[in-house]
Amino acid sequence: MADVKSAFFRFKQLRITPLLESGVTDPSGTAVTSSTPKEMSVAFIYKEGEENEQTAGDGSIFCNITEADVPKGADLELTMTTVEYTIKEAIAGGTVSVSGDDNIGWEMPTEASNPFQLEAWVPRFEVDDSSEGKADGYLLITCPYCKGRVSDGDIGEKTFMMDKFSIKARSNPDSGDAGYSELEVDDLS
């Protein structure tokens, strides 16, 4: 069940760090950074707790058991402002191909993509009496264990192709870190 949704716009930076299936950083991988993410929506996922009533022989309720909903992580929809093949490869797998000086492309993966850590820096704004917001640091969004795929692409304003990704962010099996966190920071790191 997806209960709560958030949306973030005007990113300053996105970093994808490759992981092994176990959740540890892939020693042979290289983090990929982009400064062109457009927006990201977040739907928090919960496993609904069960409710059960125990009745006595006369039909009266003598016990009511209610389990709490358990957070599972978040489902993300990430939209880029342009096509970035290295980001596409880092999130969805596949292979970036280069031929010659100007020809670059991407081939769809033939198997499931590897997990990755996603970090996104979104500007925080301080609102003053004039209702004009001024930048005041960043909100660092961290998803420590993600799996992604290419989603429906979109032709923005019928001029430019934009990549769109569906990402499942869950807790990291190695560190146990929660599937989604936000932290106010002063600078990009």
Side-chain angles (χ1 to χ4, degrees), residues 9-13 121-125 135-139:
F9 305 95
R10 291 184 276 193
F11 285 69
K12 284 296 181 187
Q13 184 172 296
W121 287 261
V122 182
R124 281 187 300 129
F125 289 92
D136 185 27
Y138 299 93
L139 182 64

Side-chain angles (χ1 to χ4, degrees), residues 4 47 99:
V4 183
K47 178 181 182 240
S99 64

